[in-house]
Every structure is written in C-alpha cells, then in structure tokens.
Amino acid sequence: MTSRRIFLKSGAMAMLSVGFAPSFLGRAAAAAGARRKLLIAIFQRGAVDGLNMIVPHGEADYYRLRPTIAIPRPGRDAMGAAIDLDGFFGLHPSLAPLHDVYAKRQLAVVHAVATPYRDRSHFDGQDLLENGTETPHAAHDGWLNRALGLIGGSQTLGLAVGQSVPLILRGQAAVTSWSPVKLPEVSAEFLDRVADLYRNDPVFAPALAMGLGDQALVDKVSDAPGMEGGGVKMNMLQRGAGLVKTVTTTVGKLLADPAGPRVAVIDVPGWDTHANQGTAAGRLAPVLAGLADGLVGLQQSMAPVWNRTVVLTLTEFGRTAHPNGTGGTDHGTATAAFVMGGAVNGGRVIAKWPGLSNAQLYQSRDLAPTADTRSICKAILRDHLHLPPDAIDRVVFPESVKVRPLEGLVIA
C-alpha cells in the first residue's frame, strides 16, 4: 500500500509532520507552458575545503603547505591525481563525474570566494550566509525567501529538503518542505478523521486538503532507486556516494514537473574535516563523491528542463591552508563554489587567484577571499530569475550595493 505523507505550506515552516509532500498539484495551470527558470541551492553545511575540492595544482605553494594532504598533480601516474580543468586548477579525483559537465561548458567554478564573515563559528557563518546580511543574526528571514517574494504569484515556489525549513528559505513567501526519510505508514482512516476534525478551521483545513491532494505529485516522481512512497531509506546524515543522488533525483523530478516549485534548497552535511581529511581516501573523498553523483543525478532527472536550470553550491567558509596535527584542516575563510546547469556559461574556473605564499594567506593561515559569495547569487537572481537589480540590492541582500553581480556567469 502506498504510504501517504502530508506536506503543508505556511509562510516559513510546515504545519504538520505526519509526513511531508509538496503542495503543488492543482496549480499547474499557472505554470503550464511557461518557460520557468529553475534554481537549486546545495548547502555544503560544515565548511568545505575548497583547496582540495578544486585543486590549484599549478601553485607550488599548495604542495609546500600541504605535504601530507595535497592532491597529486595531473599526469603524474599517481593514485588519486587531480583531474585537470584549465592547466592550473583541477578537480578532486572523487569529482570525476563532473569533468564531462565542465567539458560541455555547463559547469563553472568560482574560487577564492567567501561571504563577508571573517570569524570561524559554524553557527554564525551559516546564519550570515543564509540571512543575506553582513552580520550574523541580523535578520530572521532568508535571502532566498525574500527573492521568492519578489517573484510573487499564487504558486508555492520554494522547496526545502529536510526535516525543517532552513533559515535561507524562511520568511513571508510560502514554501514547502519534503523530508527524505522513510516515515511510518499513516492510515487513510486516520487522515480522514484529522480532516473531519479540522474541516471548519480556516487555516488548517485548506492546507490539509491541499497536502492530501498533492501527494500524487510525489508518488509520481518517487520511483528513484531507494525510494518507497516518497521516502528515502537512508538518513541524510549518512555518508556514501549514491545517498545524495537518491535525494537529488527526486528533487530534480519535482522541479521538472510543471506543477512543481521553481527553487529548492538541499542540505548536504559532512564537510567539517578536522581530522583524517585524506586525499583520494579519508573523510573528504566519499562526501565529494556523493556530491558529484548527486549533481549528475540532478542533470539526469531534469533533462527536459536542464537548459533552464542553475545549480549553486554554498558553504559558510573554507578551511585552513595548513593541515593540523590530526591530518585535517580547521575553520578558514575562502573556498570554492560550483555553478552548474544548462543555463550556465561554464567550462571555466573564475578566480582572481590570491596565491598561497605565506605573505598572501589571509591572517597567515587561510586562502584569501577575492570574490564575494553574494556576487554569484546576485548574478543568478538578476540574469537567470530576472529579478530587478535595485530590489536585489535593497531587499534580497540589503546594504550590498557595492557588491556587483558576477558578469557573464549565466546565459540570460
């Protein structure tokens, strides 16, 4: 028997977690035939090491700084060598599935990038990245929710993947959430009783009815490996290549459906590599492999709409240039970001490279930032979602007029 999961929308948070199912069905008419531009943000929560994700193999100081955890140069017949991109930068070997995407000019990398945050607290760094200001805890809503508010319309445009809605999607614009965790079966009789109990409630009754009716959309797309009735057998906190792909395949199908959302946020944890970070093996490699498989899964599941899609990776900060005493890296500053999709002007690494000599490191320990994360986000909002530049500066990222969008990043 197919399990039934209810997804209920509100301004920011789901109202009931009997289970979740996106509340989109019945509003397809508003989106049918429209060439909807789609955006997926993947949050590498925990601070990814950009220097080993996108390897500056042409930088001699990289190998001086990291004698035990540096990824070998391409073409050295070494186990786990970097995969060259442009003669200077290369992919971590676990990201090999992305090389073809890069070669097709559908993947761009922005290196030496950071938010305005310059301290090293996960909680504050994540809060600032999500609230879109220059100060942790300065806003109680997220920049991506404010962007959805500028799009407007009656359709629920945002989807959060997880047990709760992250700050980046909280706010006045209605969003929905889907939990990729197998939940206990809920009987039809129980749901009928709940519906009867709240039939006169002006808020809960319509939301419940919408969630029950819209389960068909999740059932329709939940045929990916590992999916049963819209639930993933594995917990998102587990590691392993293939886990993220299971989730992204379903999310991609949801966004590709004409009745689906236009924007999704997927949390991918596991990037806090304080110990045993490793090179081709260790803590970082399997998480990168999972990310690569997940990104390829999105490309495959969104094939019909891939030319209208941008996928952006975000993380709160990078990691130290020097390894620590336990074979890992500590909290740093600048890192690297992926911008991928059929609407991306890719096939290049975008970097004003600061260098890795001792004098060039930020505070003598970190990759120095030369690009602002908001410049990437602004370019996508302006050139892909076609939001007004002045509203992006005032509403989405307040008091950020000096941060200009990265030109030519996406195909407008």
Side-chain angles (χ1 to χ4, degrees):
M1 175 173 141
T2 301
S3 64
R4 303 182 70 182
R5 291 170 170 76
I6 310 165
F7 280 66
L8 303 179
K9 69 175 185 176
S10 70
M13 300 291 290
M15 294 164 55
L16 175 69
S17 57
V18 172
F20 292 100
S23 53
F24 310 126
L25 202 64
R27 295 185 300 282
R35 292 191 57 79
R36 304 178 310 131
K37 298 295 183 73
L38 306 172
L39 170 62
I40 298 174
I42 296 180
F43 198 154
Q44 295 173 280
R45 199 175 291 274
V48 65
D49 180 16
L51 287 173
N52 273 21
M53 183 172 74
I54 300 298
V55 182
H57 62 79
E59 169 79 69
D61 282 316
Y62 168 74
Y63 294 95
R64 177 185 61 82
L65 287 170
R66 297 187 161 198
T68 58
I69 64 167
I71 307 300
R73 292 182 176 92
R76 295 295 180 93
D77 296 325
M79 287 287 293
I83 302 166
D84 184 55
L85 294 176
D86 63 359
F88 186 88
F89 293 104
L91 293 169
H92 186 286
S94 292
L95 296 173
L98 299 182
H99 188 262
D100 286 345
V101 187
Y102 181 89
K104 292 177 182 176
R105 301 183 61 82
Q106 295 181 351
L107 171 64
V109 177
V110 185
H111 218 319
V113 64
T115 71
Y117 185 66
R118 293 294 178 269
D119 293 317
R120 294 179 172 87
S121 161
H122 284 302
F123 303 106
D124 288 349
Q126 291 172 14
D127 190 277
L128 181 144
L129 172 62
E130 296 184 80
N131 74 35
T133 73
E134 296 191 352
T135 307
H137 313 290
H140 298 294
D141 57 354
W143 67 263
L144 196 47
N145 186 280
R146 297 194 293 270
L148 292 177
L150 295 177
I151 296 174
S154 59
Q155 186 178 6
T156 302
L157 301 174
L159 169 66
V161 180
Q163 294 285 356
S164 61
V165 178
L167 175 61
I168 193 171
L169 273 180
R170 296 180 200 166
Q172 293 299 312
V175 301
T176 192
S177 62
W178 169 64
S179 173
V181 177
K182 181 70 176 175
L183 295 174
E185 191 75 24
V186 178
S187 70
E189 291 79 10
F190 173 79
L191 294 176
D192 289 341
R193 291 178 182 178
V194 172
D196 184 64
L197 179 64
Y198 289 99
R199 67 181 182 275
N200 295 321
D201 190 292
V203 175
F204 197 85
L208 179 61
M210 184 178 296
L212 291 172
D214 292 354
Q215 178 61 40
L217 180 58
V218 170
D219 290 341
K220 181 173 69 173
V221 304
S222 63
D223 58 353
M227 299 296 296
E228 290 183 359
V232 179
K233 295 178 181 178
M234 299 174 288
N235 189 290
M236 278 289 284
L237 291 175
Q238 290 175 304
R239 297 174 181 268
L243 170 60
V244 180
K245 185 174 182 178
T246 303
V247 174
T248 57
T249 296
T250 298
V251 171
K253 290 181 179 180
L254 286 170
L255 266 69
D257 193 286
R262 290 182 60 182
V263 173
V265 175
I266 304 173
D267 262 14
V268 180
W271 305 98
D272 201 14
T273 51
H274 281 290
N276 189 31
Q277 179 171 308
T279 55
R283 293 189 61 187
L284 182 61
V287 191
L288 286 174
L291 175 67
D293 283 348
L295 290 172
V296 172
L298 277 175
Q299 181 188 30
Q300 294 168 347
S301 61
M302 301 185 74
V305 294
W306 186 242
N307 66 331
R308 295 186 266 124
T309 298
V310 169
V311 183
L312 169 65
T313 64
L314 297 165
T315 193
E316 61 263 36
F317 42 69
R319 309 198 71 83
T320 52
H322 296 272
N324 59 30
T326 59
T329 50
D330 297 322
H331 300 172
T333 306
T335 184
F338 289 135
V339 187
M340 175 175 160
V344 173
N345 181 17
R348 58 203 176 113
V349 179
I350 303 167
K352 182 179 178 182
W353 189 243
L356 293 174
S357 70
N358 290 334
Q360 293 166 324
L361 294 177
Y362 177 73
Q363 294 185 346
S364 301
R365 54 173 278 165
D366 302 337
L367 175 65
T370 59
D372 193 310
T373 303
R374 293 170 295 176
S375 68
I376 307 173
C377 301
K378 285 186 173 188
I380 295 170
L381 296 180
R382 184 193 68 180
D383 299 334
H384 184 60
L385 297 185
H386 301 297
L387 299 186
D390 63 328
I392 295 173
D393 289 340
R394 291 183 296 101
V395 178
V396 181
F397 295 106
E399 299 182 356
S400 67
V401 67
K402 293 182 179 179
V403 180
R404 304 315 307 148
L406 191 58
E407 298 293 341
L409 182 61
V410 298
I411 303 169

